Every structure is written in C-alpha cells, then in structure tokens.
Amino acid sequence: MVWRKNILFLLVVSVLSINSYGVDMYEDKPGAMMENGRFQNSDIRYQTSLADFGKIVKQYWSTKRQSPKPAQNLPMQILTPEIFHERETKGPVLYRLGHSTVLIHIDNQYILTDPVFSQRVSPVQWFGPKRYAEAPIAISNLPRINTVVLSHDHYDHLDKNSIIQLAHKVDRFITPLGVGKHLRKWGVSAEKVEEFDWWQSIEVGSIKFVATPAQHFSGRGMGDRDSTLWCGWAILAEQGRIYFSGDSGYFPGFKEIGDRYGPFDITLLEAGAYNRLWESIHMLPEQTMQAHIDLGGKALLPIHNSTFDLAMHDWFEPLEKLLHLSKEQSVNLLTPVLGEPVSITQPQESVAWWREFMPENTERLAFNLSESNSIAE
C-alpha cells in the first residue's frame, strides 16, 4: 500500500542518521548538553538501533487501519490578505495552516512557526509522505512575517522549499543551535538568522521568545544525527502568552517551563504521529494533555496532525482522543479547521468537525465519547 511505502521511505531516511548511545539519566544543567559533538536530551537519551528499526517496520507492515487518510477533502477557510487586514484590529489571533505551521498575529507582529507548505515531507518531492490537507493560503499571499520560529531540522518541520520562498518576506529566523546552517546554505542572509541554546531568549519589539528544552532528536541525512539542537518556544507578548512545543516526548521540563513562563493563553502542543514504540520523543494524547496542564495552559490547540500520514493511527484519532480527555480534565480544547481565525485570549467554542469525515463504522465506544459534535457541554 502507498502509505506503507511512504512511511517506510521516511524511516529509511531516519535510520541513515542513526548514532547509537547508551540509555541513562543525568542531572539537568542550564542549556543543552553535548557529548562527542552531539546534543543530548535532559532526561532520556533517545537510542535507535537497527533492531529498533526492524520492530517499527514490522509493525508498520502488519498494522491494519480504517482510515490512514481522509476519504474527502477536509474543510478549511481560505485566507486572503483582506482577511488579515480585517482581523488586525480585533485583538491577537492565530491561524493553523497545517501540521505544525501556525500563523500568529500578536502585538502588531506576525510570527510563523515551522513553515511547511510543500506537497511532501521528504528529501525529494517525487516520493515520500504527501499532504492530504492543503494549506489554506499560498506563501505568496502571506503578510510580511516579522519572525519565523523553527523548532528542529526534521523534514516535516524544516522545509527547504518553503524557507527559500519565504526568505524575502521574513525579517528574521530564530532557530535552535546549529539549525541556522541549513538556512544559510539555502541562501538565507546570515543577518536574518539567529540561533539559541535552551533557556536563551531574544526580544523582538514587545515580544520575548525563549528557546525551551524539548525531548526529541535531530538529523536530516547520513551521519548528522543530533548535530543540531531541538527546542520548544515560549512566546511572551503584551497581548498574550503562547507555548509552541515543536516535537517532544513528555518530560518534567514542561512543568519547569510552566513555572518559569506560564500561565499560557494557548498551548500549541504536538498530538499526532505517535506510537508506544517511540513515545519518548512523541507524546501520546494523554501525555499531550498532561503537558498542557503542566504548562499552565488556559486552552490547548493540538498540532502535528491532520496534514500528513506519519504513523500507524487513523488520521482522526489524535483529535478524537483529545476530545475525550479534555472532557475528563475540563480542558478548553481548540480544534479549528485549517485557516479558521482563533482569538488568543478569548477563543470561541470549537466543533468536532472531523466526525463528519470518519468512517461510518468507527468504534467510538473505544474512546467512550458522546454523539455530540460540540466540544463544550
């Protein structure tokens, strides 16, 4: 099947960057630790081996799913320059554009997270996981971007084609340590690129950006595993506070980030492409919910889903599971369709839009969910 071939292709790309490390724990220290020129997580050293790779491939090949991708085009609100102009005077707002790409307007500045607009998340555009949800806007129609925020260098977060197309309309790119080398190689002016270690920060006008620890890994090709850093970002503005996770497994660092910089009006947390085999680097839904609580979030907007098929769960499962968990935990869950404006400080009630696109025979009882399409009750 095509989905198996595409995901297997990404796994092969990932295994090329394998460097094997022993698994152990060590005392947390300021900034990211390095060993033999490789960055390390603060709590768990993520180890991959050919044996681990074999287990993952076996599960990919044997797993049967109802709905790897939607059978129809997903709903979205097409964005235009006129919409941005109209919304600019109505308070801080954000728009989810797909996967982990979010456009934020706050303190009269535009911020763009992990911009990925290409058709495939792959070293090549002729093969690899293809997007099933188009972006609601083309790069050419985006407003002038004050800051692009990058979390790490994996292909579904750092997209070469998008960076090249964006370069002329972006004032600055802020990245974890080492990631800037990719941008400069692609022709982005060195003056526009700034790199940061964990807990380092930069102030852009009235907005403070803090690079925060995450539990993940990095690498884009043969032998470069963990040669660049990964991080989340606390975005602290006068009009509101946002946390953007990038990719991360669940770890105690979320509580420390919340204690230092919370509470956050909205947490943009990864919820998708997860599995028990790699939960140390990608959170399961229940861990995403706990991370939101640790961060002191007022509203949770799940990202890293509904755009690419990168794991073994059905495409709608992350949102469905988080809906159930949000009711259990009394958490304000935001699930906008792509392109829908979301007020950062006064978000409106969301609707479980994905249920209209789920297979009719889906076993909702597995999630212990009601039949209501309204998220709030």
Side-chain angles (χ1 to χ4, degrees):
M1 296 177 68
V2 173
W3 71 267
R4 287 194 174 102
K5 291 180 180 178
N6 284 336
I7 298 175
L8 181 60
F9 178 73
L10 263 193
L11 287 170
V12 170
V13 171
S14 297
V15 82
L16 287 176
S17 65
I18 284 178
N19 287 283
S20 182
Y21 305 110
V23 177
D24 62 3
M25 306 285 288
Y26 50 86
E27 185 178 3
D28 185 28
K29 296 180 180 179
M33 293 184 66
M34 295 191 75
E35 184 175 293
N36 298 323
R38 309 285 175 172
F39 288 101
Q40 305 287 340
N41 285 313
S42 61
D43 285 77
I44 297 176
R45 297 190 185 186
Y46 178 58
Q47 175 182 319
T48 51
S49 66
L50 290 177
D52 297 324
F53 178 72
K55 292 178 184 178
I56 294 172
V57 170
K58 182 178 179 180
Q59 190 169 132
Y60 267 119
W61 215 256
S62 62
T63 298
K64 295 181 179 180
R65 296 186 288 171
Q66 280 187 298
S67 187
K69 63 181 182 179
Q72 307 171 52
N73 291 332
L74 297 181
M76 70 173 61
Q77 292 190 21
I78 300 299
L79 293 169
T80 65
E82 291 74 24
I83 290 175
F84 296 134
H85 180 73
E86 178 186 349
R87 292 288 310 188
E88 284 176 355
T89 60
K90 296 183 178 180
V93 64
L94 61 78
Y95 312 83
R96 189 175 176 217
L97 306 184
H99 202 54
S100 298
T101 306
V102 181
L103 179 65
I104 302 166
H105 185 253
I106 193 167
D107 284 13
N108 294 316
Q109 296 187 43
Y110 278 103
I111 302 162
L112 187 63
T113 67
D114 286 357
V116 175
F117 291 83
S118 291
Q119 284 297 304
R120 297 181 187 271
V121 284
S122 166
V124 295
Q125 283 300 300
W126 52 267
F127 195 63
K130 185 177 182 181
R131 67 190 309 140
Y132 52 74
E134 295 297 323
I137 189 171
I139 289 177
S140 59
N141 288 329
L142 286 170
R144 182 77 189 179
I145 306 297
N146 299 94
T147 305
V148 164
V149 171
L150 295 170
S151 64
H152 63 297
D153 70 1
H154 285 157
Y155 287 96
D156 60 325
H157 293 263
L158 180 62
D159 176 29
K160 177 181 178 179
N161 292 335
S162 296
I163 295 297
I164 291 173
Q165 293 179 56
L166 278 164
H168 73 282
K169 63 191 314 173
V170 173
D171 293 337
R172 68 185 50 78
F173 295 83
I174 59 175
T175 82
L177 293 176
V179 175
K181 69 181 180 183
H182 298 298
L183 279 62
R184 292 187 290 269
K185 180 179 178 181
W186 300 335
V188 178
S189 171
E191 290 74 23
K192 287 188 174 185
V193 181
E194 298 181 74
E195 303 178 30
F196 297 88
D197 196 356
W198 291 345
W199 303 118
Q200 289 185 333
S201 64
I202 180 175
E203 293 187 11
V204 181
S206 59
I207 303 177
K208 183 176 183 179
F209 297 86
V210 184
T212 59
Q215 187 169 285
H216 200 55
F217 71 110
S218 67
R220 290 174 71 85
M222 188 173 294
D224 70 344
R225 172 68 177 269
D226 297 340
S227 64
T228 66
L229 188 58
W230 48 94
C231 73
W233 289 94
I235 303 172
L236 315 174
E238 291 180 352
Q239 290 185 311
R241 292 179 172 234
I242 300 167
Y243 184 74
F244 170 64
S245 70
D247 280 358
S248 181
Y250 179 76
F251 74 126
F254 287 119
K255 182 65 167 60
E256 183 177 3
I257 295 163
D259 290 343
R260 289 195 186 196
Y261 299 112
F264 293 96
D265 294 287
I266 290 182
T267 62
L268 304 171
L269 296 180
E270 70 142 60
Y274 53 77
N275 188 278
R276 289 286 180 187
L277 289 174
W278 58 82
E279 69 174 291
S280 62
I281 55 164
H282 281 294
M283 291 183 283
L284 304 174
E286 56 268 31
Q287 295 169 328
T288 296
M289 184 60 65
Q290 186 59 52
H292 168 77
I293 294 169
D294 290 352
L295 289 162
K298 299 176 184 178
L300 164 62
L301 197 160
I303 56 175
H304 209 258
N305 58 67
S306 307
T307 311
F308 299 102
D309 180 23
L310 301 174
M312 290 169 268
H313 54 68
D314 289 322
W315 72 269
F316 54 80
E317 183 183 294
L319 299 177
E320 190 81 344
K321 284 191 171 183
L322 281 171
L323 174 57
H324 169 56
L325 291 166
S326 69
K327 291 179 178 180
E328 282 188 341
Q329 302 286 343
S330 299
V331 165
N332 185 10
L333 181 68
L334 307 178
T335 56
V337 300
L338 298 185
E340 180 182 351
V342 176
S343 169
I344 292 171
T345 54
Q346 295 180 314
Q348 296 182 345
E349 175 184 337
S350 292
V351 172
W353 55 267
W354 61 91
R355 287 191 165 178
E356 296 181 17
F357 303 88
M358 291 166 59
E360 292 183 1
N361 62 341
T362 298
E363 290 290 341
R364 289 190 187 172
L365 290 178
F367 303 107
N368 191 26
L369 297 165
S370 71
E371 291 298 315
S372 170
N373 261 25
S374 174
I375 286 181
E377 292 187 340

